Amino acid sequence: LFQIPGADILKRHPEYVVYGLLACNGAVFLAWKSPRGFGRQLYRYGLLHKDAQFNKWQMIGSAFSHQEFWHLAINMFVLYQFGGSLIRWVGAQNFLEMYLDSAAISSLGSIAFPVLLNRFTSLVVLNNVPSLGASGAIFSLFGAFSYLAPYARLSLFFIPLPIGAWYGFLLTMGYNGLGMGFNWGRTDYAGHFAGCAAGILFGYIFAEKAKRAREQRRIQTYRVF
């Protein structure tokens, strides 16, 4: 994508990638509500099925799919809030790679956790309910942001929180972990937890890249003088 002629604008204005993700999610939401009948395609590619109807494209497609406006609004609000800062730190290409990879990792966690739980424990978890939503990828953004800026101050719907970003993130990750164990409601906690883990991984990768870049600049400066 970033090698296409004219794509340099995304490097000069990385926020356009965030706007593009917002637009894609909005377009899929409108497709769900459209009377023109996109239901067949969306059912095949916009839902993460955990049975014979599964196909690999659902691991990405479901992360752009929302059927309720509140679900879309919350995810897009968080994407805009964290994505705008994170993409300026890591660059457009790194950001988009992380977002799409995290979407796939979240889908994998959603599929794998119940299977592993049924395989290695005496618990029986039914896993035939399809999943959808960008939440797993959004949690990865939160995780990477918090890893890189652990003391950043956060607000919950404009109410300041008394803890830094890293501790806030760990609380949400712990909540998702408990949700996996106790199977609360219809939320796909396994996908959320996998997204959180992906966020920590990418935060570490980005921090190491920045560290190596600083070291390289220091060496070059030393050679010049």
Side-chain angles (χ1 to χ4, degrees):
L1 172 64
F2 286 88
Q3 303 305 316
I4 296 174
D8 286 345
I9 191 173
L10 299 178
K11 297 180 181 179
R12 297 194 303 270
H13 300 280
E15 66 275 10
Y16 290 175
V17 174
V18 177
Y19 300 153
L21 292 173
L22 293 171
C24 288
N25 279 275
V28 175
F29 173 76
L30 293 176
W32 276 110
K33 303 303 180 182
S34 172
R36 299 189 63 178
F38 297 101
R40 183 175 180 181
Q41 292 80 9
L42 292 170
Y43 186 83
R44 179 167 176 77
Y45 299 109
L47 295 175
L48 180 65
H49 295 277
K50 287 80 175 281
D51 53 23
Q53 299 181 80
F54 169 81
N55 70 72
K56 61 185 179 182
W57 298 108
Q58 295 170 3
M59 299 184 74
I60 297 294
S62 62
F64 288 86
S65 185
H66 302 80
Q67 291 181 335
E68 292 87 15
F69 179 75
W70 67 265
H71 191 196
L72 172 71
I74 291 174
N75 280 341
M76 296 304 99
F77 176 77
V78 180
L79 169 58
Y80 179 78
Q81 291 294 314
F82 289 109
S85 298
L86 188 60
I87 199 168
R88 288 193 292 270
W89 298 344
V90 305
Q93 185 168 341
N94 284 332
F95 179 90
L96 187 58
E97 287 176 354
M98 179 196 68
Y99 190 89
L100 297 178
D101 287 348
S102 296
I105 292 170
S106 300
S107 296
L108 180 60
S110 177
I111 295 169
F113 174 73
V115 174
L116 295 174
L117 202 64
N118 292 339
R119 174 67 178 82
F120 295 106
T121 72
S122 59
L123 299 174
V124 177
V125 179
L126 298 178
N127 191 36
N128 56 357
V129 179
S131 300
L132 78 168
S135 301
I138 299 300
F139 272 110
S140 76
L141 298 185
F142 185 18
F145 175 93
S146 301
Y147 190 98
L148 296 173
Y151 302 109
R153 309 304 295 181
L154 302 179
S155 297
L156 180 62
F157 296 105
F158 310 106
I159 301 174
L161 298 180
I163 57 177
W166 180 245
Y167 291 109
F169 168 71
L170 291 179
L171 284 175
T172 61
M173 189 174 185
Y175 175 80
N176 284 313
L178 290 173
M180 290 168 58
F182 292 99
N183 196 26
W184 294 328
R186 298 171 53 217
T187 302
D188 188 352
Y189 293 104
H192 291 181
F193 192 86
C196 289
I200 295 174
L201 173 62
F202 278 104
Y204 171 79
I205 291 172
F206 293 148
E208 289 298 305
K209 282 185 176 181
K211 181 180 178 181
R212 289 195 297 270
R214 288 194 299 269
E215 181 65 17
Q216 187 64 30
R217 288 195 298 269
R218 187 191 67 81
I219 293 172
Q220 291 174 352
T221 302
Y222 176 77
R223 288 174 178 172
V224 169
F225 289 100

